[in-house]
Amino acid sequence: MSKSTGLGLTEQPQTLGDASVWTVIRAEAVELAAREPILQQLLAAQVTDTAGNDEIIARVLAARLAVAQVETGDLFDLILSTLDGDIMRKVEVDLIAVRERDPACTTFLHALLNLKGFHALQTHRIAHALWVSGRPEIASWLANLVSLVFGPDIHPAARIGASIMLDHGSGIVIGETAVIEDEVSILQNVTLGGTGKETGDRHPKIRHGVMIGAGAKILGNIEIGAFSKVAAGSVVLKPVPEHCTVAGVPATLVRVHRADEIPAETMDQNI
């Protein structure tokens, strides 16, 4: 299990040793290309022949999003020009989060190339950067493209921290004024939405270490307290305290956790 540093970063798991995530990814790509020759050209173009780590994530995302009537090279240039040190730091800890929390993910390369929840999240980071830099039209276009290609519908203004896992990604909706802090896990078909036609700050605030189960709906400007868990299929209409589990329709408190329990990392679906 990783440990939070308190700075939005997660300590690297022991399996990395002295290598960085990107060094491991390049080695995994070389090994995979040797085993699966049909993937050699793809892996060379997107991983092994790239000039830098930011170019890897830019090429991967541009290739996945290229269904739009926009040149892949133009998408690549937009993504690469928007990537900065803060986004790249979040990309790395998101890769670590997925590798640690998803038992179906056996390598960093698998997360990088194949997991649409990861792709959607990283493209959102690009869209959000464009949004806050005063480019709302291109940010909204990119957010819509994410929804069409990957499934999650994330407003580009939504603020999302580091060490996040969008497991599967399908059907996730995250509203404009939603806030997701560090080290959060969200499963498929989760909605962080409003309650009607109200304007202003109207979406949930998900605090550090929370896990939100599949199909849960959290509605309104309410807070889900740090290190809490929302059970699958629940509808949450009221604030949730720290260190507890809520479940049901409407959701009610069913359990108080130990102080050292981190639901986002344990991924325990039991109530």
Side-chain angles (χ1 to χ4, degrees), residues 7 20 44 47 65 72 92 141 184 188 204 213 216 218 259 271:
L7 298 173
S20 73
V47 181
L65 294 166
T72 303
E92 184 169 335
W141 174 84
V184 170
Q188 68 269 24
I218 304 173
I271 296 176

Coordinates of all heavy atoms in Angstrom, one line a residue, residues 7 20 44 47 65 72 92 141 184 188 204 213 216 218 259 271:
L7 N 1.4 16.1 0.3 CA 1.6 17.1 -0.7 C 0.9 16.8 -2.0 O 1.2 17.3 -3.1 CB 3.1 17.3 -1.0 CG 3.9 17.8 0.2 CD1 5.4 17.8 -0.1 CD2 3.5 19.2 0.6
S20 N 12.1 5.0 -12.0 CA 10.9 5.8 -12.1 C 9.8 5.1 -12.8 O 10.1 4.0 -13.5 CB 11.2 7.1 -12.8 OG 11.4 6.9 -14.2
A44 N 6.8 1.7 -30.4 CA 7.9 2.6 -30.8 C 7.4 4.0 -30.9 O 8.0 4.9 -30.4 CB 8.5 2.1 -32.1
V47 N 5.9 5.1 -27.1 CA 6.7 4.9 -25.9 C 8.2 4.9 -26.1 O 8.9 5.8 -25.7 CB 6.3 3.6 -25.2 CG1 7.0 3.4 -23.9 CG2 4.8 3.6 -24.9
L65 N -7.6 9.8 -29.0 CA -8.7 10.8 -29.3 C -8.8 11.2 -30.8 O -9.6 12.0 -31.1 CB -8.3 12.1 -28.5 CG -8.4 12.0 -27.0 CD1 -7.8 13.2 -26.3 CD2 -9.9 11.9 -26.5
T72 N -4.4 14.2 -35.9 CA -3.7 13.7 -34.7 C -2.6 14.5 -34.3 O -2.3 14.8 -33.1 CB -3.3 12.2 -34.9 OG1 -4.4 11.4 -35.3 CG2 -2.7 11.6 -33.7
E92 N 1.9 10.7 -13.1 CA 2.7 9.6 -12.5 C 2.0 9.0 -11.3 O 2.0 7.8 -11.2 CB 4.1 10.2 -12.2 CG 5.0 9.1 -11.7 CD 6.5 9.6 -11.6 OE1 6.8 10.6 -12.3 OE2 7.2 9.0 -10.8
W141 N -14.7 21.6 -25.8 CA -14.7 20.7 -26.9 C -13.9 19.4 -26.6 O -14.3 18.3 -26.9 CB -14.0 21.4 -28.1 CG -13.7 20.5 -29.3 CD1 -14.6 20.1 -30.3 CD2 -12.5 19.8 -29.6 NE1 -14.1 19.3 -31.2 CE2 -12.8 19.0 -30.8 CE3 -11.3 19.7 -29.0 CZ2 -11.8 18.2 -31.3 CZ3 -10.3 18.9 -29.6 CH2 -10.6 18.1 -30.7
V184 N -8.3 9.4 -4.2 CA -9.7 9.0 -4.2 C -9.9 7.9 -5.3 O -9.2 8.0 -6.4 CB -10.6 10.2 -4.5 CG1 -12.0 9.8 -4.8 CG2 -10.6 11.2 -3.4
Q188 N -17.4 2.7 -11.7 CA -18.2 3.0 -12.8 C -19.6 3.5 -12.4 O -20.1 3.2 -11.4 CB -18.3 1.8 -13.8 CG -19.1 0.7 -13.2 CD -18.3 -0.3 -12.5 OE1 -17.2 0.0 -12.0 NE2 -18.8 -1.6 -12.4
P204 N -20.8 18.1 -5.4 CA -20.1 17.6 -4.2 C -18.6 17.9 -4.1 O -17.9 18.1 -5.1 CB -20.3 16.1 -4.4 CG -21.5 15.9 -5.3 CD -21.4 17.1 -6.3
G213 N -18.4 3.7 -4.5 CA -18.8 2.4 -5.1 C -19.6 2.6 -6.4 O -20.1 3.7 -6.7
A216 N -23.1 4.8 -7.5 CA -23.5 5.7 -6.4 C -23.8 7.1 -7.0 O -23.1 7.5 -8.0 CB -22.4 5.9 -5.4
I218 N -24.1 11.1 -5.9 CA -23.9 12.1 -4.8 C -24.3 13.4 -5.4 O -23.8 13.9 -6.4 CB -22.4 12.1 -4.4 CG1 -22.0 10.7 -3.9 CG2 -22.2 13.1 -3.2 CD1 -20.5 10.6 -3.6
A259 N -9.3 4.7 12.4 CA -8.7 5.9 12.0 C -7.6 5.8 10.9 O -7.4 6.7 10.1 CB -8.0 6.7 13.2
I271 N -19.8 -3.6 3.1 CA -20.4 -2.6 4.0 C -20.1 -2.9 5.4 O -19.7 -2.1 6.2 CB -21.9 -2.5 3.8 CG1 -22.3 -2.0 2.4 CG2 -22.5 -1.6 4.8 CD1 -23.7 -2.0 2.1

